[in-house]
Each structure stands twice: as C-alpha cells, then as structure tokens.
Amino acid sequence: MPLKKILFKPGVNRENTRYTNEGGWYVSDKVHFRQGTPEKIGGWQRISGATFLGVCRSLWNWVTLAALNLIGVGTNLKFYIEKGGAYYDITPLRYQTDAPVSLSNQFDTTSGSAVVNVNDTAHGLTTGDVALFSGASAVGGFTADMINTYHTVTVTGVDDYTITMPAAATSTVTGGGGASVSATYYRYNYTLSNPFTATLNSSVITVAHTAHGCVTGDFVTFTTPSGLGGNITATVLTGEFQLTVVSANSYTITVGATANATDVSGSPGGGSVTAQYQINVGPSYQVPLTGWGGGPWGSGTWGNGVSSTVDLRIWSQMNFGEDLIYAPRDGNIFYWDATDGVTQRGMNVSLMYGASDVPTSQRLIFVSDTSRFVFAFGCNDYGSFVQDTMLIRWSDQESVTNWTPAATNQAGSVRLSHGSEIVGVVQTRQEIVVFTDSSVYSLQYLGAPVVWGVQLLGDNISILSQNAVMVASGKVYWMGVDKFYVYDGRIQTLRCDLRNHIFSDINMSQNLQVFSGTSEGFNEVWWYYCSANSTTVDKYVVYNYAEDVWYYGSLARTAWLDSGLRDYPVAATYTYNLVNHEQGVDDNETGTTLPITATISSSEFDIDDGHNFGFIWRILPDITFRGSEGASTPQVTMTLAPMQNSGSGVNSPASVGGVDNATVSRVAVATIEEFTGQVYIRVRGRQLIFTCESSQIGTQWQLGAPRIDIKPDGRRGNT
C-alpha cells in the first residue's frame, strides 16, 4: 500500500458516534486550531506573587487620566483594584442610619469658599460619615436645593464639622443660618463598649454587638481598643478580622495570641472600640437550601421547608470616565473616584452629594458608552424598596447621582414584559442588548422625551448567566440552557458540534458560574462551566468564529478579561490570583513552572476501506515545534490505537510484540527546523484512532499531516 496521509477536518465533533465522524477530531484538551490544524494553546503566567481574598467573578480594565492601567477585581468576599500586580481593597463599608436631629440656623458660610461649617453639639460623627439635610432655606448664596441633599462630612471638633458645596458662597454668614433643618446621619463607624470576651488558652475572641447584621465571613476592622490585660493586647485586637456569627448579637474573631487567665478575668473588656464593617459577603457558589428555613416564612407546609437557592456573589462594574461604578448582585451601587487613589474605598452612590432616587438594589449595572447614562437592570422603582427584576432605570445623562425623571433631565425607566428577570446585558455598536430569562431586547438611545426605546428581538430564548454572553467581531454570542446563540442583527441558533457533549455534562444548579470571554488573537469565544459532578468551574468549550469550528477541554478559571489595554488575556484562578494567558508555553499559575498537558485525538478511521486488516510499521511525522522554549528537547507522543472493527473497542494489548506509539522530538534548531524523519511502530487492525499529546515543559507544537506506512495483513472480510 502507498503511504497514507493523516489529515483531519478542523475542529472537534462529538455529535454522533466516533466512527461516523471519520475524518475528524473527537477528543481535545488545551489545543486550538490555526489554519485548520491543531496546536497546543499558549501558557499562562501569574501577574505577580500577590493574591486576593475570595473567588473572583468579575474583571474590568480601564485607564485613568493619569495613565494608570487598572483592573477591577470583584470576589465573593471583597472588591479590589489591581495596579502593577498589587491588589488594593476598596470594598465598601456598611453604614448605620441615625434618627433625624433638628438643627436651627447652624450653617456658617464664607464668601468665596465652598466649605460650610455646621454646628451640632456632640454630633459623634467621624470624617467620612454622611449627613442628609432637609427643610433648609438658602444661606450664603447657596440655594435650598444645594443644601438639602447628601454631604460627606469632615469633622473639625466635637461640636462642629464641615461640608463642601459644589460652588463657592457669595456672602459670609456667621452665627448660623439655614433656618430649621432636619439632619439624618449615616455613620460608617460603630462604637462598641467593652465588647471582647476571651476564653482561656484560646485565640478565639467573642465580640458582643447587638443586632450586628453580619453573616459569617464578613470583615470588621477595630480601632482604638484597649487590651484585656494579658496576651490579648490592644495591638492584637487592632486591625481587620474575618468573623464567624454566633448569634444575632455576637460573633467571634480569631486573633494572633492565646488568652491567659488575666485576659479571661479582664473580659468583657476592650474599652470604647470603633468598629467598621464591610458590606456583607456572598457565597462563592450557588447554595441549594432544602428543608426548614429553605424558603421564606410560610412558603412550605408546617415542618417541611421548600427548596431554594442562594445566588453566588457576582459584581457588575464599568468605568465612568476615569472613575469606577460597581455593584454586587441585588445590592447597592458604589462609586470609586480615581482622584482619591487606590487606598480609598468606594462610596455608596445613594449617599453622594446630589443623590436622588438612586436604586438601592439591582441585578446588574451598566454604563452606555458615548451617551454616558448609568443603567440599573432589575432594580427597585422610584419611591419603593421592592426589587423589580424586570425593571430598567437610568440616570440623567452624564450623572451618576440623579435618577429622578424631570422635564429638565433625561432620567427615566422602562419595564420589560417578556420573562421573569433580567439576566445579562452587552453593548454593541448601535444598541444595548438586554437578555431576560426567556427573551432578548434591543435598547437604543432616541433622545428626549422617550430617551431610551425598547424593541423585542426574540422570544423563547434562554441564557445561562449574567456572564455567559460576549461580543466578538461585531456579533453577540451566548450560551443558553441547551444550545448556543448568535446575534448579528437577527438571532440564530449557533451550529455546535459539541452540543450533546457539553449539555449532557454540565451542572445546571451552578449555572450562574458560567462565564465567557474572547481570545481575539485566535478568533475565539470561550465558555467556562461546571461539569455535572462539580460545584467549581472545571470545563471549557471554544468556538472559533473565523474557522467555524469547536473544541473543548478542562481548565479551572473563575473570570476572564480580554482587553486591548493589556498585552495578554487575563483570567482569575482558584489560587486567588490573576494570570496572563498566551504568555509563554507553560503553567506558571503559582510561580512554579509546570508542563501543560495538551492532547488531540481523532475519530476512528479505516485502514484502506476498513475491509482488510492492515499492518502499520512506521509513521512519518509532520509537526512543527516553533515557539518552544527552554533548553529541554520539545517532544510529543503520537499514538495509533487499532481496532478489529468500529464496535470492538481498542485492541488490548494494542500491538503484540511491538508498540503503538512513538515519541517525536525536535533534534535541531536552525533557520529551517529539522525534525524526526520516521519512527517505527507495530500496529494491526481495521480501524485506527490517532492521538498527539505533549506534557513536557517548554514544548509548543502545531500538527501537520503525518503519514503512516501500511502493509496488507490477511484476514479478509468478516473473519
């Protein structure tokens, strides 16, 4: 027989039997396709040795006016800004609301200054707290509307603090002005009196705080405590701690010392302690609840709970100019000002100066590109605290704080009608595409008075999660509950050669973990998901839109970012760091270089016409190791697995008296690379499966069209 060329169709197809797909690929891992042939994917390198806390589900990249290249990193425990490989904690703080207090002519102004002094005897505020005024009259050239809003305070004394107005005063008022004013204070600091209780020979400290409102995993920072008299000193009790809830009125922290008898006898103690709580943490994965407490009160029969699910923590974030707007799913909206620096936490938008009707809960937020509106999708309506998961609201143009519709602005809202909740949002060149759990809408800017118009694009369409949709090459791609879709002006089902393979091995109870991303350098859209028996992301599937092919594999990632502002695509890992993908050829996620195992395996193909047995005695490789690194010799293993027929399974042993695989190595590096010319094997069968695999450090390869040398081997027909 002549030499037989092994050249398969590009892409991986598992929609039918392995024999039916003759001439194609059937199994893949850590490979992609270039010009129709498979090659090992590039490696990944951690961006630094720093790590963050929690599982990251959200990444966003932007550049400030000071040319700082930043990434917002939202985890289930915290929110960070990555700058230069370091992670800066800007997780927002919780606040408590005081009962309104009455002030009478307590405002002092100075002509030409925007700073206003406010007198309130023994106010108890801390710099950074917020004051909301109502009922004030004009003073010093400031209108009542300018005063009657939220102001961040700067404490100047026990009886005084200052606020800063958006313009300078036109006159000086001393001795008080502003008439009768009601002030409501929003405090970020909680004052606790002797809250600490120690247990002998234990580093676990119990903290008393009535109605603390925490959940296990929350973070609290203590300042100005005194010690308990022994090993538990003021220094030990000062700083940030992750807490464990004991009851509604107490929780525990673990400190860096073990309590002795003096500490026990000195507790409860600690003196006057200032506590700052960060907003509640969220789950790292969807938590199914069944049984007592598994649903709202009265939702099940007596003694029997109902099934429900606690959603994992997902952040949505986008830059507003050089600043950042970010929000946790079903939470408040926060604003980080770049001029404040990466060491300052974000501010609750509803407590910012000029805040008006800001949504207090939402599924996700979004910023329109050129028109600069801030959107809240699935949020509470005006004057209500009840979240409407089908309601869309937007702020006035160029405003983060003004959400009250008026004849003089463009704030507004619209409620979608098809579906039960808004799931995802992406922006294309001419529209914002909005996904509910059953429909797709187009949101387009029309200008006043309608402002934003809505058009239904398609119905009876699904989407798995907030992050399962991505824009690539001008088209919108997303993953539904049982298939993939594409939108390019009309919605179509995306042909998928791996549909049955993917959707028969996916954990739908963890659907919110599904996320997508692009690899523009390879014309790819990636989706990551949890396999059927996993509660963590461990699988991926790729669509190459330039070559219209699919492939898949295993890889543990939690978020993805492909930004033109960075040299490489960035991914978040379960080792709590960020890695650059397609950098190098090896796995350097933890700082230790490890090989990447990459494999591609064909469907069954006939020797000759599959009627006769054939004996394969040598293989002539066709492979390039271009891009390999390091001093070691890069190599792959090529394997031929023979079968007696398509239903028999692989012969065992594969070949009597010989081998069915051969290691193919690079033997020289020059302008033209020289490779192994031929290797000898012993394989006998009617059908074959061809596999190419590598697992060495420094190896990069692209497969061509190997050839095999076959001799006829008797046993004709069905014998």
Side-chain angles (χ1 to χ4, degrees):
M1 287 185 187
L3 290 171
K4 181 180 179 69
K5 183 183 294 185
I6 303 176
L7 184 61
F8 299 103
K9 296 174 291 187
V12 179
N13 190 324
R14 295 182 66 106
E15 282 298 278
N16 214 307
T17 66
R18 193 158 188 159
Y19 183 68
T20 302
N21 189 44
E22 183 179 12
W25 297 104
Y26 199 76
V27 176
S28 67
D29 190 23
K30 317 253 181 352
V31 298
H32 51 208
F33 283 79
R34 185 198 297 269
Q35 292 293 303
T37 59
E39 68 176 14
K40 175 176 169 286
I41 66 173
W44 46 87
Q45 302 274 340
R46 64 179 186 176
I47 66 173
S48 72
T51 58
F52 46 75
L53 295 176
V55 177
C56 173
R57 301 289 181 193
S58 176
L59 296 171
W60 181 259
N61 184 206
W62 81 105
V63 175
T64 69
L65 296 177
L68 296 177
N69 193 314
L70 308 177
I71 293 181
V73 180
T75 80
N76 68 302
L77 300 179
K78 285 179 173 287
F79 194 96
Y80 299 88
I81 286 180
E82 182 276 331
K83 186 186 79 169
Y87 301 102
Y88 296 89
D89 186 356
I90 65 164
T91 310
L93 299 175
R94 280 170 40 197
Y95 63 84
Q96 58 179 328
T97 306
D98 289 356
V101 297
S102 296
L103 304 177
S104 181
N105 295 319
Q106 304 300 315
F107 296 94
D108 297 325
T109 65
T110 301
S111 181
S113 174
V115 177
V116 177
N117 184 77
V118 184
N119 177 261
D120 182 7
T121 303
H123 53 71
L125 298 172
T126 302
T127 296
D129 289 347
V130 174
L132 170 62
F133 301 118
S134 60
S137 59
V139 59
F142 299 121
T143 65
D145 287 342
M146 295 172 68
I147 299 172
N148 292 325
T149 187
Y150 296 91
H151 301 270
T152 302
V153 309
T154 300
V155 174
T156 55
V158 294
D159 300 325
D160 297 273
Y161 59 86
T162 63
I163 59 175
T164 300
M165 305 297 284
T170 58
S171 63
T172 299
V173 176
T174 57
S180 180
V181 179
S182 176
T184 301
Y185 296 135
Y186 299 82
R187 304 176 189 267
Y188 290 100
N189 291 337
Y190 295 71
T191 301
L192 308 179
S193 180
N194 292 318
F196 302 117
T197 300
T199 301
L200 187 63
N201 299 325
S202 174
S203 59
V204 177
I205 304 297
T206 301
V207 183
H209 182 176
T210 302
H212 52 70
C214 298
V215 298
T216 294
D218 280 358
F219 291 86
V220 60
T221 301
F222 296 118
T223 56
T224 68
S226 59
L228 297 181
N231 294 334
I232 311 301
T233 64
T235 301
V236 168
L237 293 169
T238 300
E240 181 180 279
F241 301 91
Q242 192 170 16
L243 60 85
T244 300
V245 171
V246 175
S247 70
N249 300 318
S250 67
Y251 55 84
T252 61
I253 60 173
T254 300
V255 299
T258 301
N260 59 23
T262 303
D263 294 312
V264 175
S265 63
S267 62
S272 180
V273 180
T274 298
Q276 282 189 337
Y277 296 97
Q278 295 168 26
I279 61 171
N280 293 145
V281 300
S284 60
Y285 62 96
Q286 288 161 270
V287 183
L289 301 176
T290 304
W292 182 261
W297 176 260
S299 58
T301 58
W302 177 258
N304 295 305
V306 295
S307 297
S308 65
T309 300
V310 177
D311 289 345
L312 74 163
R313 169 61 54 84
I314 302 179
W315 294 82
S316 51
Q317 53 171 318
M318 292 190 78
N319 61 296
F320 188 83
E322 68 168 348
D323 303 329
L324 182 70
I325 299 177
Y326 58 115
R329 179 182 173 93
D330 299 329
N332 295 122
I333 303 173
F334 300 95
Y335 188 87
W336 178 79
D337 192 327
T339 58
D340 291 339
V342 292
T343 60
Q344 296 298 312
R345 299 184 185 274
M347 181 73 173
N348 192 316
V349 174
S350 63
L351 301 184
M352 291 173 58
Y353 181 86
S356 176
D357 285 319
V358 178
T360 56
S361 60
Q362 43 65 52
R363 282 297 165 90
L364 60 111
I365 56 100
F366 198 84
V367 179
S368 61
D369 187 18
T370 56
S371 52
R372 296 247 292 187
F373 289 83
V374 182
F375 287 86
F377 294 90
C379 60
N380 58 297
D381 206 347
Y382 309 101
S384 171
F385 292 100
V386 177
Q387 187 173 0
D388 184 345
T389 56
M390 291 291 285
L391 179 67
I392 304 173
R393 291 177 56 193
W394 56 87
S395 67
D396 188 18
Q397 192 170 23
E398 297 287 348
S399 174
V400 176
T401 55
N402 186 5
W403 295 71
T404 304
T408 56
N409 69 32
Q410 296 192 69
S413 67
V414 64
R415 191 181 191 281
L416 305 183
S417 57
H418 291 223
S420 63
E421 64 174 330
I422 295 173
V423 177
V425 179
V426 293
Q427 184 166 264
T428 63
R429 184 172 63 89
Q430 293 181 324
E431 60 191 336
I432 296 174
V433 183
V434 183
F435 297 82
T436 74
D437 52 359
S438 68
S439 303
V440 182
Y441 286 87
S442 170
L443 194 61
Q444 293 182 311
Y445 180 64
L446 304 178
V450 177
V451 187
W452 287 91
V454 175
Q455 180 181 2
L456 181 66
L457 298 177
D459 216 344
N460 196 23
I461 295 168
S462 63
I463 183 172
L464 270 181
S465 73
Q466 173 179 324
N467 295 324
V469 56
M470 182 58 58
V471 177
S473 190
K475 298 181 181 180
V476 181
Y477 297 90
W478 70 96
M479 187 177 188
V481 298
D482 56 4
K483 60 182 175 180
F484 295 88
Y485 298 89
V486 60
Y487 170 65
D488 58 358
R490 65 190 182 110
I491 297 173
Q492 304 174 70
T493 296
L494 186 61
R495 181 198 60 78
C496 180
D497 297 330
L498 297 169
R499 176 179 172 182
N500 182 63
H501 176 72
I502 299 303
F503 290 103
S504 64
D505 183 32
I506 185 172
N507 187 347
M508 283 299 181
S509 69
Q510 298 297 320
N511 65 296
L512 292 182
Q513 292 196 51
V514 174
F515 66 94
S516 62
T518 63
S519 183
E520 288 288 346
F522 294 92
N523 306 307
E524 296 170 336
V525 180
W526 291 56
W527 286 274
Y528 287 85
Y529 61 96
C530 301
S531 60
N533 297 315
S534 176
T535 57
T536 59
V537 175
D538 59 347
K539 301 287 187 180
Y540 70 84
V541 59
V542 181
Y543 176 64
N544 186 315
Y545 49 83
E547 302 191 31
D548 190 28
V549 296
W550 293 81
Y551 29 100
Y552 70 97
S554 300
L555 193 60
R557 295 291 183 263
T558 63
W560 184 275
L561 172 70
D562 189 12
S563 169
L565 303 176
R566 296 270 171 147
D567 294 332
Y568 305 98
V570 177
T573 74
Y574 282 104
T575 51
Y576 313 115
N577 61 3
L578 299 182
V579 295
N580 288 326
H581 270 257
E582 299 299 333
Q583 182 179 10
V585 298
D586 298 311
D587 175 357
N588 203 306
E589 179 180 326
T590 61
T592 300
T593 301
L594 300 172
I596 296 173
T597 298
T599 184
I600 185 82
S601 183
S602 75
S603 297
E604 301 168 11
F605 63 96
D606 290 330
I607 297 175
D608 197 11
D609 60 359
H611 179 69
N612 298 325
F613 274 79
F615 175 71
I616 298 93
W617 62 281
R618 66 171 175 163
I619 183 169
L620 284 68
D622 180 33
I623 191 168
T624 174
F625 292 97
R626 182 178 55 246
S628 295
E629 300 176 348
S632 61
T633 301
Q635 57 187 232
V636 299
T637 299
M638 293 182 180
T639 304
L640 289 174
M643 288 166 290
Q644 183 172 339
N645 54 64
S646 61
S648 66
V650 175
N651 294 349
S652 180
S655 180
V656 177
V659 296
D660 65 339
N661 65 79
T663 299
V664 181
S665 305
R666 178 170 63 181
V667 297
V669 180
T671 304
I672 299 176
E673 293 183 331
E674 187 178 328
F675 304 101
T676 304
Q678 62 183 11
V679 290
Y680 295 96
I681 56 176
R682 295 176 62 85
V683 175
R684 184 173 180 273
R686 282 194 179 98
Q687 283 87 33
L688 296 174
I689 295 173
F690 173 79
T691 300
C692 182
E693 183 176 40
S694 67
S695 57
Q696 291 78 36
I697 290 177
T699 297
Q700 180 65 33
W701 54 266
Q702 183 179 14
L703 185 65
R707 291 172 292 165
I708 54 177
D709 206 342
I710 309 171
K711 295 179 180 179
D713 196 45
R715 289 189 62 181
R716 297 174 180 275
N718 296 322
T719 60

